[in-house]
């Protein structure tokens, strides 16, 4: 393996080992010693790539940020109706987190910095605005029931997604997150979407059974 | 003030000062020094009441446990229909957390121990079961739409409540938690309850506007 590829592989190994620890324990309780043991690396090899534990955490937070940008752009670019786009965003996010410990760790680290500590929870605000904009578009297109406040629905959906991630992360390493996400979308959209809005998304078995 | 009353007042002052710090910063980032400065007490006075930071945290976790037991019992004892009971449980919990930093800190400390770290999140499981039981009762009484899974709704409601608490805690010290909780109950119950079930609870303006 050429030296550059080896360096890249080592950096990725560090990120992956750190992600495994951060994902289980969070930032404060993760030790560099445990990360090195997991990656089978010396301190020297580590410090060649990262100056500190914080720097690895920063790299993981940046990476999840890039993934979410791509996911958002990819769904925006498909030109689907707003509620179908929302379902797609939520379910793809859940599936990716369930499958990828590096992404999961980045999301947890980002949430630890933003949620639960004083200050502006900027990623949360970004998502709430994005989702609120899709819901406002859905309202304009007649896909939300009369009197439903798109911003309030955005607050409910964002909160529900964060709570689902936390519970799923603690109990199944996000293994059941895609199922939980589909459930919460079904429950919330069943209450706020018109029949047209509901039909535009992927219907659940229970919606089909009970009718609109 | 008799000595016993003074001791009680000091213990409460420590719990309150610690709660202010834990509520803002969580367990790991809270320092005993900051708690003592806030309470205006010496280390000696502190150690007369508690052997460690962990012991204060334990006392706060126990206290929130007692509050939730009382809240659950009080709503169970009213003999109301299950969906009204659920609404009452959620809104009273949100109002109490919004009003009481000691309770809020206990809830945060308990969540930090249970959610986001490996192991069994027991308080979460307890609430999910309790809420699932009320929803199963609602289903039996014809208050849930055909095909709606009471356990799935319990998962959605618990996750949504946890997420709402986290966001509200980070942005408004739970000041807007009662409003967020009413919103999420409206959104989820609008989707899963029959007209009879929705009417049994307190209706929101938007539900009244749009009809069942």
């Amino acid at each position: 393996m050429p030296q550059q590829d080896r360096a890249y592989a080592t950096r990725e190994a560090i990120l992956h080992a750190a992600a495994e620890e951060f994902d289980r324990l969070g930032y404060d309780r993760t030790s560099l010693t445990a990360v090195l043991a997991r990656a089978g690396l010396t301190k020297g090899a580590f410090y060649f790539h990262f100056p500190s534990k914080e720097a690895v955490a920063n790299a993981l937070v940046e990476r999840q940020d890039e993934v979410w940008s791509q996911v958002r752009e990819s769904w925006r670019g498909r030109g689907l109706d707003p509620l179908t786009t929302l379902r797609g965003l939520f379910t793809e996010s859940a599936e990716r987190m369930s499958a990828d410990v590096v992404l999961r760790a980045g999301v947890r680290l980002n949430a630890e910095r933003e949620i639960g500590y004083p200050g502006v929870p900027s990623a949360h605000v970004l998502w709430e605005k994005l989702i609120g904009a899709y819901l406002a578009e859905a309202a304009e297109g007649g896909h939300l029931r009369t009197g439903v406040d798109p911003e309030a629905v955005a607050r409910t959906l964002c909160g529900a997604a964060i709570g689902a991630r936390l519970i799923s992360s603690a109990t199944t390493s996000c293994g059941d997150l895609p199922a939980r996400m589909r459930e919460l979308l079904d429950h919330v959209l069943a209450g706020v979407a018109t029949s047209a809005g509901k039909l535009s998304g992927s219907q659940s078995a229970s919606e089909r059974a009970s009718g609109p």
Side-chain angles (χ1 to χ4, degrees), chain A residues 28-99:
Chain A
D28 288 331
R29 300 185 192 196
T30 288
S31 80
L32 207 49
T33 315
V35 173
L36 296 178
R38 190 181 275 274
L41 290 171
T42 62
K43 273 197 177 181
F46 177 87
Y47 286 118
F48 179 79
H49 293 276
F50 296 100
S52 61
K53 178 174 104 171
E54 195 185 354
V56 194
N58 290 343
L60 290 166
V61 168
E62 275 167 35
R63 187 170 289 199
Q64 59 96 42
D65 223 36
E66 287 160 18
V67 169
W68 297 144
S69 288
Q70 288 164 13
V71 171
R72 285 193 299 265
E73 283 310 311
S74 125
W75 282 97
R76 196 198 314 274
R78 293 180 208 191
L80 298 166
D81 75 89
L83 294 186
T84 305
T85 306
L86 269 191
R87 276 192 190 270
L89 272 170
F90 274 85
T91 51
E92 183 176 342
S93 302
E95 278 155 12
R96 282 181 177 246
M97 272 194 275
S98 176

